[in-house]
């Protein structure tokens, strides 16, 4: 990829693309690492143009360099800040002309292992602001753009979790936000129908990333034991997201669950 140019203090971008082409345009939040990076790379390799959103521009640049011939735009974004989200979508439309996909992925586990009665309100708010309020802000910005663009329509894929179904011990903020995200997905799926906006959710269990590294050494179970858990290759998640993203808008994967086959989920507790 060509050297990034500083177009604004908030963002840096790669090679320009022709806005008149049929290239599909995606916004991926949390694109600097983990699942977000894997999905962004999968889409770039498949010919999508991708706006990479995250709090650290340097990690977004690293993601972009994994696909040297890809069309990537890196935008420093804190999804919990309304002005950052507005700037992200404005920059994406300015650069690429429209938005066809939002992968609403940015999130945090919060303070793991803290008993509920000792959880601080600040810790609770941080998880809610990132996982739920951030998802709302990004989805709303994408929805507005997809409704107004010509031709209208697009797709939003929310990154849920196995915790949207079944919690882990001592995970109240994370679990609460992921359950709420399922409600947001269902509501937006209904509200988007008149505008050809398809909304679905992928619930992921134990993809191998930096955030889940502790699973392989020992994770707290419902019976109080600490047991290592199997993980799966994060690229398997990315391929699933790409499949969901590339369906025609007449078809939608409403919910998909992708997990390490032997993880203690079915029958958890």
């Amino acid at each position: 990829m060509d050297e990034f140019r500083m177009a604004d203090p908030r963002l840096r971008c790669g090679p320009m693309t022709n806005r008149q082409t049929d290239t599909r345009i995606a916004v991926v939040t949390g694109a600097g690492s983990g699942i977000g990076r894997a999905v962004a790379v999968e889409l770039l390799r498949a010919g999508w143009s991708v706006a990479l959103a995250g709090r650290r521009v340097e990690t977004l640049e690293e993601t972009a360099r994994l696909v040297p011939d890809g069309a990537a735009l890196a935008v420093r974004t804190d999804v919990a800040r309304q002005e950052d989200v507005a700037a992200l979508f404005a920059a994406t439309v300015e650069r690429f002309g429209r938005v066809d996909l939002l992968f609403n992925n940015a999130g945090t586990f919060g303070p793991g292992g803290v008993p509920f009665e000792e959880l601080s309100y600040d810790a609770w708010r941080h998880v809610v602001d990132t996982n739920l309020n951030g998802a709302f802000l990004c989805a709303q910005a994408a929805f507005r753009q997809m409704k107004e663009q010509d031709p209208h329509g697009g797709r939003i894929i929310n990154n849920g979790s196995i915790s949207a179904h079944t919690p882990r011990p001592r995970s109240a903020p994370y679990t609460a936000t992921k359950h709420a995200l399922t409600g947001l997905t269902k509501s937006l799926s209904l509200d988007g129908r008149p505008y050809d906006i398809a909304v679905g959710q992928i619930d992921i269990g134990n993809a191998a990333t930096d955030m889940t590294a502790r699973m392989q050494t020992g994770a707290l179970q419902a019976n109080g034991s600490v047991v290592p858990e199997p993980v799966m290759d994060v690229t398997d998640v990315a391929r699933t997201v790409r499949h969901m993203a590339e369906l025609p808008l007449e078809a939608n994967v409403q919910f998909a669950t992708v997990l390490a086959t032997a993880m203690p989920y079915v029958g958890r507790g």
Side-chain angles (χ1 to χ4, degrees):
M1 175 171 287
D2 296 339
E3 288 297 319
F4 282 82
R5 301 196 312 275
M6 180 64 79
D8 178 272
R10 305 174 60 84
L11 59 90
R12 300 177 184 177
C13 57
M16 294 298 289
T17 59
N18 184 350
R19 294 182 186 173
Q20 305 305 312
T21 67
D22 293 328
T23 301
R24 291 161 294 189
I25 312 303
V27 174
V28 177
T29 66
S33 62
I35 291 169
R37 170 173 285 182
V39 169
V41 166
E42 180 74 16
L43 293 174
L44 286 166
R45 287 175 176 163
W48 288 68
S49 296
V50 182
L52 310 168
R55 288 181 295 178
R56 297 174 55 203
V57 170
E58 57 271 25
T59 62
L60 300 177
E61 292 177 354
E62 291 172 3
T63 299
R65 285 194 291 269
L66 294 173
V67 188
D69 57 348
L73 171 70
V75 186
R76 185 170 63 248
T77 308
D78 180 346
V79 296
R81 295 173 57 88
Q82 189 171 10
E83 58 271 30
D84 280 22
V85 172
L88 165 65
F89 281 86
T92 302
V93 174
E94 171 63 24
R95 178 72 150 71
F96 298 120
R98 58 182 289 116
V99 175
D100 298 300
L101 170 69
L102 165 65
F103 181 46
N104 220 353
N105 166 72
T108 180
F109 283 137
V114 177
F116 180 73
E117 68 276 15
E118 297 177 12
L119 184 70
S120 72
Y121 182 61
D122 286 344
W124 170 272
R125 279 292 304 270
H126 175 66
V127 178
V128 172
D129 283 343
T130 302
N131 293 5
L132 182 57
N133 295 339
F136 159 75
L137 290 172
C138 291
Q140 186 179 63
F143 197 101
R144 287 170 173 165
Q145 174 59 33
M146 291 170 180
K147 178 181 175 180
E148 298 300 329
Q149 62 195 9
D150 184 22
H152 69 214
R155 189 179 305 275
I156 298 170
I157 301 173
N158 292 322
N159 183 350
S161 171
I162 295 298
S163 290
H165 304 267
T166 306
R168 290 183 177 278
R170 297 182 176 178
S171 66
Y174 185 77
T175 299
T177 57
K178 293 304 184 177
H179 274 65
L181 195 60
T182 297
L184 180 66
T185 297
K186 291 179 178 179
S187 186
L188 292 182
S189 184
L190 183 61
D191 292 347
R193 288 178 181 177
Y195 314 110
D196 292 327
I197 300 172
V199 184
Q201 181 169 313
I202 183 167
D203 295 325
I204 302 162
N206 288 17
T209 67
D210 290 343
M211 287 182 68
T212 60
R214 62 184 177 86
M215 302 297 181
Q216 298 177 71
T217 58
L220 181 63
Q221 306 298 306
N223 64 2
S225 64
V226 176
V227 179
E229 294 187 12
V231 297
M232 62 178 169
D233 193 324
V234 70
T235 60
D236 293 324
V237 175
R239 285 194 291 269
T240 304
V241 173
R242 179 185 165 193
H243 167 72
M244 295 169 69
E246 293 185 344
L247 289 171
L249 292 178
E250 293 78 14
N252 187 40
V253 176
Q254 186 69 72
F255 291 97
T257 303
V258 184
L259 71 162
T261 304
M263 72 171 289
Y265 163 57
V266 178
R268 182 191 291 180

